[in-house]
Amino acid sequence: MNLAQKLISYHLVSGSMKHGEEIALSIDQTLTQDATGTLTYLEFEAIGIPRVKTKLSVSYVDHNTLQTCFENTDDHRFLQTIAGKYGIYFSKPGNGICHQVHLERYAKPGQTLLGSDSHTPNAGAMGMLAIGAGGLNVAMAMAGEPFWAVMPGATRIEIQGECKPFITAKDIILEVLRKLTVKGGVGKILEYTGEGIKNLTLPERATITNMGAECGATTSLFPSDKQTRAFLKAQQREADWIPLVPDPDASYDEEIRIALHTLEPLIAVPSSPDKVVQVREVGGTPVKQVCIGSCVNSSFMDIMLAARILKGRKIHPDVSLSMSPGSRQTLLMISENGALKDLIDAGARILECACGPCIGMGQAPSTGAVSLRTFNRNFPGRSGTPNDQIYLCSPATAAVSAVTGVITDPRDFLKRKITIKLPERYIVDDSMIIPPSREPEKVIVERGPNIKPLPLKEGLEKSFKAKIILKVEDNITTDDIMPAGAQILSLRSNIPAISEHVFSRIDAGFSERAKTAGGGIVVGGLNYGQGSSREHAALAPMYLGIKVIFAKSFARIHRDNLINFGILPLTILPDVYNILEQDSVIEFPHIVKEIQEYLYITFTDTKTGKNYKAEHSLTKRQKEIILNGGLLNYIKKRKM
Ligand code: MIC
Ligand code: SF4
């Protein structure tokens, strides 16, 4: 067996491990972050279980930490009190980004982790089966229910040789993205093997598994070996280590080879993580902003690399450089060893240990400016600036370019090699992680006025007509569907209010049109809903009455979220996509019967009177969920 198969077999509670079949996995650990967490815990409450049933559940606050309005601070109080009540650890704002802190303190080889954030596969670096999902799936896992998924295929990524100086883990994953694109990982687990991985430390491996999410992969995996043990030992938890490797004769569905010594410094140009070119191809482009941080590149080793490059230098007068450490542990360590001073001396602006600019919380670039970021996503407008010019690169490229003021290949600027070693001992201080209350019955959950109850939906009608409210292109992201950023994030616990912003960056009139039409249909291209796990991108359209999404194909997490909230995802052929027009009214004459009995749904374009077919690909369980109007209704019915 390959490693993915081993981990799946240890946790399989239902289904058979055949590629494409539905399987159910037991979940050991869960994580949530504030922007998806408020809904997750409202959903957990609605399920009605007195205490989480997982081995460990952690609630992090890292996305919307600025507390610029009461809504936001109220959310934090809600999260802290509800965590105390239901047996969940609470990582306070300022303690760090969920994926970084989880890797440092909790991830365990051999276990499963379900997180309400798409970069949960970060913990795959540890040989943990770590999967991103919608909040409702995480709530179900906390309630002791298994996680249902389609058995993924396994892609072996064989790594050979060693990186030349200033070629980093970020360049490796950018190379994977160049090869696979943002859709190439859908339905797959990316498993790293080969002698080239032996020298990659855990934080470097985490950069790689983190950004596998950008390929659409279910997760990414490294074996648990000497490097894993060294990291766990340095985190003072060597007892959590177990060895885990694929069998020598393991087979895979597909293989990719990467020879590290052939890699060049790489960069993703605006505005997709797979638009990867060599740094030298865009070298010399003037840069106004550089941001170092985000869950993919904010480890102690990443920040140290940037600090060593910047030591004794000053950043370019036209550049604004920000640095957000991934965790308080990292911040403590760089303050103790003097690297923080080097960064401040160089002119870096030190931000909180949080997602910050990555989710559009501050540092929106100036109009037309090039911003170089060590982040994982450069989807259009995500930074908060319309028509933004965001490039994604390694901390080495970012730090060097901050000094020169133009995009620079680190090898063209630095003379001597810089080596950052894994620390022998990290500073461990978990005092900003609050354990659950010993007297849960006494905890009063604090609910600010912005925290609104979850909207529910009726079951699916037997037949209906609905208008196409919007038609969009390929690779639409959940940032396009439900934007984040400083103005909108504080509405994450208020679906009626946040629904006003659905598709607002693409089409400002969308929510009004949907309301006037009493709901409708959206037509999308390939890989519809790629990117984040935010279930708001399904729940808010559901609130606006969207009943069906037609697309050429769907991203995994978003498709699950649509089903969870009773919106029917239907796959159409490219020819049908070309024919369907915005404003056409579509009739579904036998939709319920067809879901129950057939693989295809027939529908009529009432403008032309022509009939077409769309595939639903729903499993038996998913059919029940859709027919009942969503997962919460389905669970309630099951309980009765
Ligand atoms: C992201 O990077 O897009 C986010 C913000 O972390 C999301 C979660 C969210 O929208 O709250 C993700 O990756 O799932
Ligand atoms: Fe936070 Fe950005 Fe990572 Fe999402 S990708 S968890 S916003 S740092």
Side-chain angles (χ1 to χ4, degrees), residues 423-437:
E424 274 183 19
R425 208 176 157 87
Y426 284 92
I427 299 175
V428 172
D429 170 7
D430 292 332
S431 58
M432 278 179 71
I433 302 176
I434 314 297
S437 170

Side-chain angles (χ1 to χ4, degrees), residues 589-638:
H590 315 290
I591 193 158
V592 166
K593 188 173 163 35
E594 286 172 329
I595 289 178
Q596 282 164 334
E597 293 175 20
Y598 306 108
L599 292 175
Y600 291 91
I601 306 288
T602 44
F603 62 93
T604 314
D605 185 341
T606 57
K607 213 170 177 181
T608 57
K610 286 201 174 142
N611 293 331
Y612 302 98
K613 275 190 184 340
E615 199 178 340
H616 63 71
S617 318
L618 298 172
T619 63
K620 201 166 153 255
R621 191 180 143 272
Q622 289 171 333
K623 285 180 185 175
E624 286 299 313
I625 295 173
I626 283 283
L627 295 176
N628 282 291
L631 184 55
L632 277 175
N633 289 348
Y634 168 74
I635 304 164
K636 283 197 184 133
K637 202 169 142 195
R638 212 182 52 177

Side-chain angles (χ1 to χ4, degrees), residues 63 97 99 117 119 294-295 355 358-359 376 382:
H63 279 62
I97 306 176
H99 309 302
D117 192 281
H119 291 104
S294 138
C295 56
C355 302
C358 181
I359 188 57
N376 43 25
R382 179 172 157 108

Side-chain angles (χ1 to χ4, degrees), residues 29 89 95 161 235 258 324 381 512 606 622:
Q29 300 188 357
Y89 283 76
N95 193 47
Q235 289 287 350
I258 298 183
S324 13
E512 251 344 282
T606 57
Q622 289 171 333

Side-chain angles (χ1 to χ4, degrees), residues 432-472:
M432 278 179 71
I433 302 176
I434 314 297
S437 170
R438 292 221 182 99
E439 296 175 303
E441 60 294 341
K442 290 202 182 140
V443 179
I444 296 170
V445 177
E446 293 176 30
R447 261 171 248 266
N450 183 51
I451 299 172
K452 297 276 185 264
L454 269 178
L456 289 176
K457 190 180 177 293
E458 301 285 300
L460 196 69
E461 299 149 77
K462 287 201 169 72
S463 62
F464 58 86
K465 280 188 190 164
K467 196 180 196 175
I468 299 180
I469 311 275
L470 182 69
K471 181 172 175 182
V472 287

Side-chain angles (χ1 to χ4, degrees), residues 478 481 528-529 534 537-538 555-563:
T478 49
I481 305 169
Y528 180 83
R534 64 191 71 150
R556 173 187 64 88
I557 306 179
H558 187 59
R559 182 172 179 275
D560 282 353
N561 285 340
L562 289 171
I563 296 170

Side-chain angles (χ1 to χ4, degrees), residues 26 62 254 387 457 461 540:
S26 63
D62 52 3
E254 178 179 67
N387 306 314
K457 190 180 177 293
E461 299 149 77

